[in-house]
C-alpha cells in the first residue's frame, strides 16, 4: 500500500528478477538507464510535468519503476469527454508500466524465466476509473434492483470515493475528478422503479436521502484544500 499513499502515483512497473547480483556501480547504472527509458515515454504518453522514479531492492533484483504526477495534467484534453480521456490515460498508464517491466528485464540481462513476478500498477488512475465505472453501472442497474443491492452499491461508491480523496494530493485533481463525478452521480435514477413501486414509501425516501448525502460529500471533496 505504501506506493499508493502521499504521492499521486500514475503508473508503476514492478518486477522481481531472480539470480541477479549487481555491484553498487552496476546497480546505479541500471537505475539511471531504466529511468531515462521511463521518463521519455512517460512525458510523451502522459505529461511533460511527470516525475519519474526508479528504485531497486536487494533480494535478487526487485525493480519499482514509478511515475508520479497529477491526473489533471496527465489526462490532457477532455473536450471529447472526461471518460474517454480517463480511459485513454488508463491504457497509457498500464502500457507504460508493462514497457518498464520488459525494459527492466532486458537491462538486467536475465532470461525471461528469471522474472518470477511482475505487476503493472496504475495507481490513482485505476481508482478513478473504477469509481466512475461502478457508478455508470449503477445508473443502468438501479431501476431493476432492490433495496439491499442498491444500498450495498451506494456504500461501495462512498467507500471508493473516500479512498480516492485520500489518494489525490493536488487541489486541482480534486476539483477536476470530483467535479466530473458530481455529473456522474446526477445520472443516478431519481426514483428507481422497484423502490418506487414498493408499498413502503420509506424506501424511496431513504434512497433519496442517501444519494443526497453522497452528493454533498463529493461536493465537499471537490472544494476541499489539501494542506
Amino acid at each position: 500500500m505504501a506506493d499508493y499513499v502521499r504521492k499521486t502515483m500514475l503508473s508503476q512497473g514492478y518486477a522481481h528478477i531472480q539470480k541477479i547480483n549487481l555491484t553498487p556501480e552496476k546497480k546505479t547504472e541500471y537505475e539511471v538507464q531504466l529511468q531515462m527509458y521511463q521518463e521519455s515515454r512517460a512525458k510523451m504518453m502522459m505529461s511533460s510535468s511527470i516525475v519519474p522514479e526508479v528504485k531497486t531492492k536487494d533480494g535478487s533484483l526487485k525493480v519499482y519503476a514509478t511515475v508520479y504526477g497529477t491526473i489533471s495534467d496527465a489526462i490532457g484534453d477532455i473536450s471529447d469527454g472526461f471518460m474517454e480521456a480517463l480511459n485513454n490515460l488508463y491504457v497509457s498508464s498500464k502500457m507504460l508500466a508493462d514497457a518498464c517491466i520488459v525494459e527492466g528485464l532486458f537491462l538486467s540481462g536475465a532470461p525471461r524465466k528469471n522474472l518470477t513476478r511482475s505487476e503493472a500498477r496504475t495507481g490513482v488512475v485505476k481508482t478513478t476509473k473504477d469509481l466512475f465505472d461502478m457508478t455508470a453501472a449503477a445508473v443502468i442497474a438501479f431501476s431493476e434492483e432492490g433495496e439491499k443491492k442498491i444500498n450495498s452499491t451506494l456504500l461501495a461508491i462512498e467507500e471508493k470515493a473516500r479512498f480516492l480523496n485520500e489518494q489525490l494530493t493536488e487541489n486541482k485533481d480534486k476539483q477536476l475528478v470530483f467535479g466530473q463525478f458530481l455529473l456522474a452521480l446526477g445520472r443516478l435514477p431519481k426514483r428507481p422503479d422497484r423502490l418506487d413501486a414498493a408499498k413502503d414509501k420509506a424506501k424511496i425516501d431513504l434512497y433519496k436521502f442517501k444519494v443526497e448525502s453522497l452528493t454533498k460529500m463529493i461536493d465537499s471533496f471537490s472544494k476541499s484544500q489539501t494542506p
Side-chain angles (χ1 to χ4, degrees), residues 13-98:
Y14 166 75
H16 185 184
I17 307 168
Q18 295 279 11
K19 300 178 181 178
I20 291 291
N21 294 304
L22 300 178
T23 64
E25 293 78 13
K26 287 293 184 181
K27 192 174 182 180
T28 298
E29 181 183 351
Y30 177 93
E31 291 173 352
V32 169
Q33 287 183 315
L34 183 53
Q35 183 168 318
M36 289 175 61
Y37 174 92
Q38 173 197 50
E39 182 174 12
S40 61
R41 283 150 184 81
K43 288 187 173 182
M44 179 188 72
M45 298 171 70
M46 293 184 177
S47 165
S48 60
S49 64
I50 59 92
V51 179
E53 178 183 82
V54 172
K55 289 184 177 180
T56 58
K57 292 183 179 180
D58 294 328
S60 295
L61 180 61
K62 293 182 179 179
V63 183
Y64 300 82
T66 311
V67 173
Y68 298 104
T70 66
I71 280 190
S72 50
D73 288 339
I75 202 168
D77 183 13
I78 62 171
S79 59
D80 291 333
F82 177 79
M83 283 308 301
E84 181 172 346
L86 178 61
N87 287 331
N88 286 336
L89 177 59
Y90 174 75
V91 171
S92 295
S93 173
K94 190 172 187 311
M95 186 181 297
L96 178 63
D98 283 328

Side-chain angles (χ1 to χ4, degrees), residues 97-124:
D98 283 328
C100 287
I101 291 169
V102 174
E103 184 67 9
L105 178 63
F106 172 76
L107 290 174
S108 75
R112 168 64 184 83
K113 65 181 181 180
N114 287 21
L115 181 64
T116 57
R117 185 185 170 200
S118 64
E119 184 178 351
R121 300 167 176 169
T122 51
V124 72

